[in-house]
Amino acid sequence: MNKGRLEAFSDAVTAIIITIMVLELKVPHDTNFEALRPLVPVFLSYVLSFIYLAIYWNNHHHLFQAVQRVNGHVLWANLHLLFWLSLFPFVRVWAGENLSATVPVACYGFVLFCGAISYFILTRTLIAYHGKDSTLAVALGSDFKGKVSVITYAVAILLAFVAPWLACLLYAAVAILWLIPDRRIEKALTS
Amino acid sequence: MNKGRLEAFSDAVTAIIITIMVLELKVPHDTNFEALRPLVPVFLSYVLSFIYLAIYWNNHHHLFQAVQRVNGHVLWANLHLLFWLSLFPFVRVWAGENLSATVPVACYGFVLFCGAISYFILTRTLIAYHGKDSTLAVALGSDFKGKVSVITYAVAILLAFVAPWLACLLYAAVAILWLIPDRRIEKALTS
Amino acid sequence: MNKGRLEAFSDAVTAIIITIMVLELKVPHDTNFEALRPLVPVFLSYVLSFIYLAIYWNNHHHLFQAVQRVNGHVLWANLHLLFWLSLFPFVRVWAGENLSATVPVACYGFVLFCGAISYFILTRTLIAYHGKDSTLAVALGSDFKGKVSVITYAVAILLAFVAPWLACLLYAAVAILWLIPDRRIEKALTS
Amino acid sequence: MNKGRLEAFSDAVTAIIITIMVLELKVPHDTNFEALRPLVPVFLSYVLSFIYLAIYWNNHHHLFQAVQRVNGHVLWANLHLLFWLSLFPFVRVWAGENLSATVPVACYGFVLFCGAISYFILTRTLIAYHGKDSTLAVALGSDFKGKVSVITYAVAILLAFVAPWLACLLYAAVAILWLIPDRRIEKALTS
């Protein structure tokens, strides 16, 4: 099977998730700068989630550049990833309105953690289908960033029970780690 | 006519239906684990509906892999299917909030039933257009799962008037039946 | 310029418009059949609007099968059509909740009227670009249905000031007129 | 990397932003023409924002006609543009309900300003990748309209502190400037 529809469907779901998150930015009743102040944490969590989803879309885009074909297992591994991404708006708003509360921040971390795990499963499913010597397998290599992310999320979830703000900083740190361009796949494709 | 736009349109509608369902997960006001408890049935019905729509998308994807071209009848049979899928969010929330109430659970079953019927009509319309000896017709075969699903839904709707929870279990059972990979089309295409 | 993105964008906008309309079906608080009764007019107007948008998508799909290339004028004529389609959810709900009120029903007719006019402009823009002897121009012919629709909408808007229900019947009649398959373009393409 | 997914993703995000904006047109409770009067400013700001997003989509479409391939920088420059476009619905509603209030109108201008800047960055990123002698670079030329827009937005933001209505007029003026067809890329491609 070709990969066109899997890409199109993933694009559509990601596009909708990114866009409906902005609906949670409730228009204030007042018309001064003061009225924007209560929106600041929600806005910041919107920016962070936008960046997170942008990173996922970006990596997904890079990943499938190196993919030639898909099978049923890949479709389901991809849907599994989309399931966790679809929970971003929910945990984002809950955590965004309660940046200093343990449970919402831990839940945000849990969804990030599951997202990272499901992305990892997707890459393994693709490698299992394409072979260990495929361009894809070479390009992904040891997946250092992926492993660091999963561990950091696990640490952050535990930290949320002590200092929620610190957990939020760790989430932002992982985002920054991924913003540093990942040239593995681009390199492997052009070499 | 080529099938590209039919696929793209179906992908977009399915992606939106899946994603707006998560909007019904209302962010709680409290910030403890207790606050999540009332969300559990809604969340479970979200998971079940996500799986249902994922199965539909997956089957639709497989189905159109074996399709070369479409005509006006196919477009309408597909739109008919999308109509019933578009009612999923409505019945899901109503049933999800009232898992022990007869009418919402029966309505959920009715929409699942109509979805299964409309998918069946879509496959017949495609076979009528491609011929009884086409790869598609061979791949679909006797459509055992499709027939079992329709009958199970009908039984479940009746059961909802006696024991709504039992009907919900049957809906979940059909989902599991479909989660077992359906290799008919993949096999027919590669053989 | 090729037509791919115009098609994809139109598909996405139409898919979203169709899907968000179902959000207006508010989940009832009660769990008996009585609770569904107030939803009946809204549901019927949802069905009618779904059919209308399905017809537009279907015709749009057929139309662009006969189109080879697009220019800036076509892009804007298409965006103009999408603008009027985007107002469907608004007038649909207003009219759906007030089927016997003059102004909402007349507004619904006005949006249908503008939609039909903008679709007509789109076909003329395409013919101007492809030439009067193109497959497209031949396929569209005298556009009998298009002209009948525009006139019927105009009559229905006037009727809304006397008998809103009669106007609604006329809207449904136009939908049925279009549901009768339009084979002009399919014929022209295969001949 | 090919440009297909970047286009599809941008189309989906733009389509959703355009469409959710119409959700802010709240259906009135009354059924006379009076009931529509309070909607007039919101409707006008919807029309203006629809035109703005249509212009962006149109320019984006033209721009990528002249693009052959994309890299990671282009993906991020494009996501940066989409971020600012995603804030349109928020500022639109706030400004649309308060057309004579300084802060909402200035915020609208700020988002328009950032959108224009991010579009400019996107064109520079593309030129950096394709080379200064590419069709794209020639087609874009000195980007007179882009520069005028950025300056006009900056002026309008300042004006919003004196006369918000005047700022709104300037926003509309820039939209009209862009509605005048921009044939640079079409010309460069056909020559």
Side-chain angles (χ1 to χ4, degrees):
Chain A
M1 293 192 290
N2 69 61
K3 60 180 178 170
R5 276 190 80 177
L6 184 148
E7 291 182 337
F9 186 70
S10 308
D11 284 358
V13 171
T14 316
I16 300 158
I17 295 171
I18 275 191
T19 320
I20 60 175
M21 288 198 311
V22 89
L23 289 178
E24 296 296 334
L25 277 177
K26 300 292 179 207
V27 175
H29 289 290
D30 282 334
T31 58
N32 46 32
F33 281 116
E34 286 298 294
L36 290 177
R37 197 178 291 170
L39 291 178
V40 169
V42 179
F43 181 74
L44 286 181
S45 80
Y46 171 64
V47 174
L48 185 57
S49 295
F50 187 97
I51 291 172
Y52 259 117
L53 280 164
I55 289 167
Y56 268 107
W57 180 77
N58 224 321
N59 288 341
H60 196 274
H61 186 292
H62 275 79
L63 184 64
F64 278 86
Q65 286 286 323
V67 166
Q68 279 85 42
R69 54 195 196 284
V70 297
N71 63 2
H73 292 123
V74 174
L75 293 188
W76 277 107
N78 191 57
L79 284 161
H80 179 231
L81 170 62
L82 294 178
F83 174 77
W84 291 109
L85 295 188
S86 80
L87 294 181
F88 269 46
F90 173 74
V91 289
R92 181 193 78 79
V93 177
W94 203 30
E97 287 174 352
N98 306 284
L99 283 175
S100 52
T102 292
V103 181
V105 170
C107 281
Y108 194 4
F110 180 70
V111 170
L112 290 175
F113 178 79
C114 292
I117 293 283
S118 62
Y119 189 82
F120 180 78
I121 294 173
L122 176 60
T123 57
R124 292 309 114 176
T125 313
L126 281 166
I127 289 175
Y129 186 47
H130 284 72
K132 294 217 166 191
D133 308 319
S134 59
T135 322
L136 184 73
V138 175
L140 284 169
S142 65
D143 200 12
F144 176 71
K145 271 191 194 175
K147 284 168 189 163
V148 167
S149 306
V150 170
I151 294 164
T152 314
Y153 291 143
V155 171
I157 293 169
L158 295 176
L159 264 177
F161 288 86
V162 188
W165 270 93
L166 220 65
C168 293
L169 280 183
L170 277 184
Y171 302 156
V174 176
I176 290 164
L177 173 75
W178 281 99
L179 276 175
I180 303 163
D182 185 352
R183 304 205 187 283
R184 284 176 301 167
I185 292 177
E186 278 186 63
K187 265 184 199 156
L189 281 175
T190 51
S191 71
Chain B
M1 293 191 291
N2 69 61
K3 62 180 177 171
R5 277 191 80 176
L6 184 149
E7 290 182 337
F9 186 71
S10 308
D11 284 359
V13 170
T14 316
I16 300 158
I17 296 171
I18 276 191
T19 320
I20 60 175
M21 289 197 311
V22 90
L23 289 178
E24 296 296 334
L25 278 177
K26 300 291 178 209
V27 174
H29 289 290
D30 282 333
T31 59
N32 46 32
F33 281 117
E34 287 297 295
L36 289 177
R37 196 178 292 170
L39 290 178
V40 170
V42 180
F43 181 73
L44 286 181
S45 80
Y46 172 63
V47 174
L48 185 57
S49 294
F50 187 97
I51 291 172
Y52 259 118
L53 280 163
I55 289 168
Y56 268 107
W57 180 76
N58 224 322
N59 288 341
H60 196 275
H61 186 292
H62 275 79
L63 183 64
F64 277 86
Q65 285 287 324
V67 165
Q68 281 85 40
R69 55 194 196 285
V70 298
N71 64 1
H73 292 122
V74 174
L75 294 188
W76 278 107
N78 191 57
L79 284 161
H80 180 230
L81 170 63
L82 294 178
F83 174 76
W84 291 109
L85 295 187
S86 81
L87 294 181
F88 269 46
F90 173 74
V91 289
R92 182 192 78 79
V93 177
W94 203 30
E97 287 174 353
N98 305 284
L99 283 175
S100 53
T102 292
V103 181
V105 170
C107 281
Y108 194 4
F110 179 70
V111 170
L112 290 175
F113 179 79
C114 292
I117 293 283
S118 62
Y119 189 81
F120 181 78
I121 294 174
L122 176 60
T123 58
R124 292 310 114 175
T125 313
L126 281 165
I127 289 176
Y129 186 47
H130 283 72
K132 295 218 166 189
D133 308 319
S134 60
T135 322
L136 184 74
V138 175
L140 283 168
S142 65
D143 199 13
F144 176 71
K145 270 191 195 177
K147 284 169 187 160
V148 167
S149 305
V150 169
I151 294 164
T152 315
Y153 291 143
V155 171
I157 293 169
L158 294 176
L159 264 177
F161 288 86
V162 188
W165 270 94
L166 221 65
C168 294
L169 281 183
L170 277 184
Y171 302 156
V174 176
I176 289 164
L177 173 73
W178 282 99
L179 275 175
I180 303 163
D182 185 352
R183 302 205 188 284
R184 283 176 301 169
I185 292 175
E186 278 186 62
K187 265 184 197 156
L189 281 176
T190 51
S191 69
Chain C
M1 293 191 291
N2 69 61
K3 62 180 177 173
R5 276 190 81 176
L6 184 149
E7 290 182 337
F9 186 71
S10 308
D11 284 359
V13 170
T14 316
I16 301 159
I17 295 172
I18 275 191
T19 321
I20 59 175
M21 290 197 310
V22 89
L23 289 178
E24 295 296 335
L25 278 177
K26 300 290 178 208
V27 174
H29 289 289
D30 282 333
T31 59
N32 45 32
F33 281 116
E34 286 297 296
L36 289 177
R37 196 177 292 169
L39 290 177
V40 170
V42 179
F43 181 74
L44 287 181
S45 80
Y46 172 63
V47 174
L48 184 56
S49 294
F50 187 96
I51 291 173
Y52 258 116
L53 280 163
I55 289 168
Y56 267 107
W57 180 76
N58 224 321
N59 289 341
H60 196 275
H61 185 292
H62 275 79
L63 183 65
F64 277 85
Q65 285 287 324
V67 166
Q68 280 87 40
R69 55 195 196 284
V70 297
N71 63 2
H73 292 123
V74 174
L75 294 188
W76 277 107
N78 192 57
L79 284 161
H80 179 230
L81 170 63
L82 294 177
F83 174 76
W84 291 109
L85 295 187
S86 80
L87 295 181
F88 269 47
F90 173 75
V91 289
R92 182 193 78 78
V93 177
W94 202 30
E97 287 174 352
N98 305 285
L99 283 175
S100 52
T102 292
V103 180
V105 170
C107 281
Y108 194 4
F110 179 70
V111 170
L112 290 175
F113 178 79
C114 292
I117 293 283
S118 61
Y119 189 81
F120 180 79
I121 294 172
L122 176 60
T123 58
R124 292 310 113 174
T125 313
L126 281 165
I127 290 177
Y129 186 47
H130 283 72
K132 294 220 164 187
D133 307 318
S134 61
T135 320
L136 184 76
V138 175
L140 284 169
S142 65
D143 199 12
F144 175 72
K145 271 191 194 176
K147 285 170 188 161
V148 167
S149 305
V150 170
I151 294 165
T152 314
Y153 291 144
V155 171
I157 293 169
L158 295 177
L159 264 177
F161 288 86
V162 188
W165 270 94
L166 220 65
C168 293
L169 281 183
L170 277 185
Y171 301 156
V174 176
I176 290 165
L177 173 74
W178 282 98
L179 276 175
I180 304 163
D182 185 352
R183 302 203 188 287
R184 284 177 300 168
I185 291 175
E186 279 187 61
K187 265 186 199 156
L189 281 176
T190 51
S191 69
Chain D
M1 293 192 291
N2 70 60
K3 62 180 178 171
R5 276 190 81 177
L6 184 148
E7 291 182 337
F9 187 71
S10 308
D11 284 358
V13 171
T14 316
I16 300 158
I17 295 171
I18 275 191
T19 320
I20 59 175
M21 289 197 311
V22 89
L23 288 178
E24 295 297 334
L25 277 177
K26 301 290 179 209
V27 175
H29 289 289
D30 282 332
T31 58
N32 45 32
F33 281 116
E34 287 297 296
L36 289 177
R37 197 177 292 169
L39 292 177
V40 170
V42 179
F43 181 74
L44 286 181
S45 79
Y46 172 64
V47 174
L48 184 57
S49 294
F50 187 96
I51 291 172
Y52 259 117
L53 280 163
I55 289 167
Y56 267 106
W57 180 76
N58 224 320
N59 288 342
H60 196 274
H61 185 292
H62 275 78
L63 183 64
F64 277 85
Q65 285 287 322
V67 166
Q68 279 86 42
R69 56 196 195 284
V70 297
N71 63 1
H73 292 123
V74 174
L75 294 188
W76 278 107
N78 190 58
L79 284 162
H80 179 231
L81 170 63
L82 294 177
F83 174 76
W84 291 110
L85 295 187
S86 81
L87 294 181
F88 269 46
F90 173 75
V91 288
R92 182 193 78 79
V93 176
W94 203 30
E97 286 173 352
N98 305 284
L99 283 176
S100 52
T102 292
V103 180
V105 170
C107 281
Y108 194 4
F110 179 70
V111 170
L112 290 175
F113 178 79
C114 292
I117 293 283
S118 62
Y119 189 81
F120 179 79
I121 293 173
L122 176 60
T123 58
R124 293 308 115 176
T125 314
L126 282 166
I127 289 176
Y129 186 47
H130 283 72
K132 294 218 165 189
D133 307 319
S134 60
T135 321
L136 184 74
V138 175
L140 284 168
S142 65
D143 200 13
F144 176 71
K145 271 191 193 176
K147 284 168 188 163
V148 167
S149 306
V150 170
I151 294 164
T152 314
Y153 292 143
V155 170
I157 293 169
L158 295 177
L159 264 178
F161 289 86
V162 187
W165 270 94
L166 219 65
C168 294
L169 282 182
L170 276 185
Y171 301 156
V174 176
I176 290 165
L177 173 74
W178 281 99
L179 275 175
I180 303 164
D182 185 352
R183 302 206 189 284
R184 284 176 301 166
I185 291 176
E186 278 186 62
K187 264 184 200 156
L189 281 175
T190 51
S191 69

